[in-house]
Amino acid sequence: MLNPIWSLHEVRAKIVDVRHPAVGSVTLLLRPNGNWRGFRAGQHVAFTIEIDGVRRTRCYSLACSAHCPDGLLELTVAAELEGLVSGYLHSDAGPGTVVRLSQAQGGFTLPDYRPEHILLISGGSGITPVMSMLRTLCQDGICAVDGAGRVTFLHYARSAAHIAYHDELAVLAAAHPGLRLLRAYTRGSGGELAGRFDARHLPSLGSDSAAWVCGPAGLVDTVRAHWERTGISVPLQTEQFTAPTPALPADDGEPYGEVCFTRSRHRMANTGETLLEQAEAAGLNPEFGCRMGICLTCTSRKTTGSVRHLHTGELSTEPDSEIQICSTVPVGDVAVDL
């Protein structure tokens, strides 16, 4: 008898449509409640859905234009081989399902000032935040400028059948003379380019240019390395959907010390795994989302001891400090408020 998306403070949304636009992906259209505060093109949300009575949280980028004229939010999710949430969304989610969302997060966004040339690079499911940027730029009229291409969209996929927005991209390119569309297929033909990222795929970039790249770690790392190797001065923003290669700890040796989860009074020998994995091994069920150090869902208070961040190698020694337990490992004795 009550509307399930009503809430005083929580952002809730109802799935109003489910589509399967490409091989292995699902697109959800959601109508959020009045607590939603909007977003900038390129940002993501922590998405929570209940599966078999358990709330599961994952981070997904918004694919819709930041202007969102119909008020609907759009997410496109690739079904991972062992992905509990992505698999459920792909096969079981339907209209009427109520989910919870965080407010929009992340700094992978377009600036208020639009450079003379904008380069958008994506690979696989990394197309979603870049698609949000492209749709926003088209609605802003940026892509209407005639010429060699005010906006270049470079996307890598296995084949045309694996591009979630294949048809829409073609329509946008035909309707906007300022948009240059380049598709590269790694296992198919018919694109404007072929194979994986190559420096020859890049258009010429002037002094007033900027670039954004999102996708698998391999693509992002290769593009970033090209920028660093060639000394390109064009600003590059990056985002990837898989965890970066862990940095080796400075004291790369056998794990030692004891981990204490103070609230639950669990003590165990440090195994060298992340604090999240050690907490789960102790029978605890701490909240987590992406398990990659992005969404902040697993943030907990370290009361004493030192931890090292897996992705950066940075050492945190301050007592009573907040850490992300999915991406930190203990260095010696550590106590965490769990």
Side-chain angles (χ1 to χ4, degrees), residues 39-336:
F39 72 103
R40 294 174 65 92
Q43 289 189 305
H44 61 269
V45 294
F47 174 99
T48 301
I49 189 168
E50 190 171 297
I51 302 175
D52 296 330
V54 180
R55 289 184 181 180
R56 307 287 184 176
T57 302
R58 299 292 186 271
C59 284
Y60 296 127
S61 291
L62 295 157
C64 45
S65 164
H67 303 306
C68 240
D70 57 5
L72 297 180
L73 304 180
E74 181 176 324
L75 306 175
T76 292
V77 179
E80 300 174 12
L81 184 61
E82 298 181 358
L84 173 64
V85 175
S86 64
Y88 180 87
L89 295 177
H90 192 267
S91 59
D92 297 305
T97 303
V98 174
V99 301
R100 291 168 173 80
L101 305 176
S102 70
Q103 296 292 349
Q105 306 171 5
F108 185 74
T109 58
L110 291 171
D112 293 330
Y113 163 76
R114 305 298 199 231
E116 185 63 29
H117 182 80
I118 294 171
L119 173 61
L120 305 175
I121 307 173
S122 60
S125 59
I127 194 173
T128 50
V130 181
M131 194 69 194
S132 175
M133 293 179 176
L134 180 61
R135 286 169 160 172
T136 301
L137 292 169
C138 286
Q139 288 192 1
D140 286 344
I142 300 298
C143 299
V145 180
D146 202 354
R150 175 80 187 273
V151 176
T152 299
F153 190 104
L154 173 56
H155 180 69
Y156 293 87
R158 292 183 182 180
S159 68
H162 289 84
I163 301 181
Y165 297 98
H166 179 271
D167 293 344
E168 182 180 349
L169 284 172
V171 170
L172 289 174
H176 296 84
L179 169 61
R180 183 185 182 191
L181 176 62
L182 301 174
R183 292 161 292 192
Y185 301 140
T186 58
R187 300 184 187 177
S189 58
E192 291 77 15
L193 302 170
R196 300 183 184 277
F197 173 79
D198 187 286
R200 291 169 294 183
H201 293 174
L202 295 176
S204 58
L205 298 171
S207 57
D208 188 18
S209 302
W212 288 258
V213 57
C214 181
L219 171 65
V220 175
D221 290 345
T222 301
V223 173
R224 186 190 291 117
H226 174 70
W227 245 247
E228 294 173 353
R229 184 174 60 254
T230 58
I232 298 177
S233 60
V234 172
L236 175 70
Q237 283 200 51
T238 65
E239 184 157 280
Q240 56 198 53
F241 285 170
T242 53
T245 303
L248 289 175
D251 55 351
D252 186 28
E254 293 297 319
Y256 64 95
E258 184 180 66
V259 178
C260 176
F261 299 110
T262 55
R263 201 185 320 159
S264 58
R265 300 182 181 179
H266 277 69
R267 290 180 177 272
M268 59 189 297
N270 175 22
T271 64
E273 297 176 295
T274 66
L275 282 164
L276 174 58
E277 291 170 320
Q278 296 195 55
E280 291 174 332
L284 306 183
N285 294 295
E287 288 194 26
F288 66 87
C290 64
R291 300 185 81 102
M292 292 170 17
I294 296 175
C295 72
L296 307 180
T297 303
C298 69
T299 300
S300 302
R301 186 168 60 91
K302 171 176 66 70
T303 54
T304 61
S306 300
V307 297
R308 191 176 298 280
H309 199 284
L310 275 180
H311 305 159
T312 66
E314 183 178 353
L315 189 67
S316 169
T317 60
E318 291 293 322
D320 291 316
S321 57
E322 302 224 318
I323 60 171
Q324 292 168 262
I325 61 173
C326 76
S327 53
T328 52
V329 295
V331 179
D333 295 333
V334 171
V336 182

Side-chain angles (χ1 to χ4, degrees), residues 5-55:
I5 69 170
W6 285 354
S7 174
L8 288 176
H9 307 291
E10 195 172 52
V11 180
R12 297 179 186 175
K14 181 183 292 186
I15 297 176
V16 298
D17 194 13
V18 178
R19 304 168 184 170
H20 295 84
V23 175
S25 67
V26 59
T27 294
L28 309 176
L29 295 181
L30 306 99
R31 187 173 298 283
N33 64 13
N35 295 325
W36 175 250
R37 296 199 294 263
F39 72 103
R40 294 174 65 92
Q43 289 189 305
H44 61 269
V45 294
F47 174 99
T48 301
I49 189 168
E50 190 171 297
I51 302 175
D52 296 330
V54 180
R55 289 184 181 180

